[in-house]
Amino acid sequence: MDPRDIHTPVMLERCLELLAPALEREGATYVDGTLGMGGHAEAVLARFPGARLVGLDRDTDALRIAGERLASYGDRVRLVHTVYDGILEALGGTRADGILYDLGVSSLQLDEAERGFAYAQDAPLDMRMDQTSGITAADVVGTYGEGDLRRIFERYGEEKLAGRYARAIIDERSRGAITRSGHLVDVLQKATPAALRNAGHPAKRVFQALRIEVNGELTALERAIPAALESLSVGGRLVVLSYQSLEDRFIKRLFAEATRSTAPAGLPFELPEHQPKFRLLVKGTELASEEEAARNPRAKPVRLRAIERIRESA
Ligand SMILES: C[S@@+](CC[C@H](N)C(=O)[O-])C[C@H]1O[C@@H](n2cnc3c(N)ncnc32)[C@H](O)[C@@H]1O
């Protein structure tokens, strides 16, 4: 299996263009916070011969596949098995010059039916990106109370029928454990009012919510972005690709905080120490071109944001 045939890196040229001023510097350090199958990472290593890669992923399969793919780059490559908020530890005191977070699940994870990410295929309800630790989706579905299930479906899935689906799961559980994705899809389908059955797949948002809960995705992201910003050298750049409005709103807020002046309200002038340490490289978000979205369906929902460090912290 060649990873190049499974996954086409999203907005690749734009990412390289945004990272170029930082990664063209000799000895630059590039952190790929979501290495996946190493598509973006390989392109960075090829385009910027003076750059070294620190590649992070919590999925050991991804690290193995990317490791084989990038083997010819020798000691320019260092891969670390970690949740991406471990970026500072992974860097061990080195500053990062370019960082990319390409959020969400990989094509590899979606395509491997047995991992339970896809509602279209019946499989054990697992959904852990790191299969070496943590609770599974079956644990969440089997042990969380009704209120907690409703809360995660509402918050992480923005699901309007959250209460109804939580109730249906509790009812079904009393008849026997829900351990497979097909069983859960069935429960959700039956709980969906007939009038709404054609309004998108009823399991889509619930599966998204379970995945976010199982992997603690938003908690990790909330810690990862400030850590990534802290690690950047002056002139260093961070690019984030998100695929859900929930994640994108998060990035928007964290970038807005980082680029804001810290001058107290009412001060008639801004002291140098109050000036922002970062500037936005992209106004709002950028989307993939129509041509890319048509060619690569994964690119359709993407939103890109990018930021640069313009001065040192005090
Ligand atoms: C969309 S894929 C990245 C694809 C990659 N850019 C490429 O071109 O091959 C996202 C990857 O991030 C990893 N990931 C997601 N959340 C993570 C987290 N909190 N910590 C570490 N890795 C994470 C997933 O395991 C997955 O391999």
Side-chain angles (χ1 to χ4, degrees):
M1 171 197 68
D2 187 336
R4 294 170 191 86
D5 298 335
I6 301 179
H7 177 72
T8 311
V10 172
M11 294 187 83
L12 178 60
E13 270 311 313
R14 185 59 179 139
C15 291
L16 295 173
E17 186 179 65
L18 283 163
L19 293 169
L23 293 184
E24 276 161 356
R25 304 185 287 195
E26 190 50 41
T29 298
Y30 166 64
V31 179
D32 196 310
T34 50
L35 185 69
M37 283 183 285
H40 286 99
E42 182 176 49
V44 163
L45 289 165
R47 180 76 57 93
F48 308 110
R52 291 170 182 278
L53 162 74
V54 179
L56 320 181
D57 209 294
R58 68 195 305 182
D59 183 337
T60 49
D61 282 353
L63 289 168
R64 181 179 45 76
I65 293 170
E68 285 164 14
R69 178 177 190 169
L70 304 174
S72 62
Y73 290 97
D75 63 5
R76 287 175 64 201
V77 174
R78 191 160 62 79
L79 305 188
V80 186
H81 181 219
T82 179
V83 176
Y84 49 47
D85 56 8
I87 180 170
L88 289 169
E89 293 76 8
L91 277 164
T94 313
R95 305 294 291 272
D97 299 293
I99 305 176
L100 175 69
Y101 281 98
D102 177 16
L103 303 176
V105 267
S106 67
S107 311
L108 175 74
Q109 290 160 340
L110 281 173
D111 287 354
E112 269 185 38
E114 282 310 294
R115 300 190 60 170
F117 285 105
Y119 52 78
Q121 288 154 311
D122 181 42
L125 264 182
D126 189 318
M127 295 199 198
R128 286 171 304 166
M129 289 186 191
D130 180 354
Q131 291 185 296
T132 63
S133 66
I135 58 165
T136 65
D139 295 329
V140 174
V141 167
T143 62
Y144 280 29
E146 187 176 339
D148 284 338
L149 287 174
R150 193 185 57 234
R151 178 184 56 78
I152 63 168
F153 297 162
E154 269 168 6
R155 193 174 296 171
Y156 301 155
E158 302 182 282
E159 172 55 70
K160 291 196 182 68
L161 299 175
R164 207 180 169 102
Y165 289 156
R167 178 78 249 151
I169 288 171
I170 300 289
D171 284 348
E172 182 70 11
R173 237 158 68 175
S174 65
R175 287 186 278 276
I178 305 171
T179 57
R180 300 195 59 91
S181 53
H183 187 177
L184 179 60
V185 168
D186 207 40
V187 173
L188 299 171
Q189 256 159 351
K190 286 193 185 124
T192 307
L196 296 179
R197 293 227 171 107
N198 293 328
H201 197 291
K204 182 173 175 209
R205 291 168 177 279
V206 168
F207 270 57
Q208 172 183 308
L210 287 171
R211 200 197 77 207
I212 292 176
E213 174 68 11
V214 163
N215 296 290
E217 286 179 39
L218 293 184
T219 320
L221 195 57
E222 186 149 33
R223 286 197 289 250
I225 299 300
L229 292 174
E230 188 183 329
S231 77
L232 277 181
S233 60
V234 174
R237 294 174 161 215
L238 163 64
V239 178
V240 183
L241 301 177
S242 31
Y243 298 85
Q244 298 159 15
S245 52
L246 205 61
E247 283 170 346
D248 181 56
R249 286 204 298 272
F250 226 66
I251 305 298
K252 181 181 177 185
R253 175 171 62 74
L254 293 167
F255 279 16
E257 281 165 18
T259 50
R260 196 174 293 142
S261 160
T262 54
L267 208 69
F269 50 86
E270 191 184 46
L271 294 169
E273 63 265 35
H274 292 145
Q275 281 166 7
K277 299 178 194 71
F278 297 90
R279 74 175 176 110
L280 295 178
L281 292 169
V282 164
K283 220 169 164 218
T285 56
E286 275 181 25
L287 310 177
S289 68
E290 278 181 28
E291 183 271 319
E292 179 176 359
R295 192 169 26 88
N296 180 9
R298 280 190 57 87
K300 264 193 203 137
V302 74
R303 292 183 186 86
L304 176 150
R305 291 185 188 269
I307 195 167
E308 180 186 45
R309 182 188 278 278
I310 46 176
R311 68 180 185 88
E312 214 44 274
S313 298

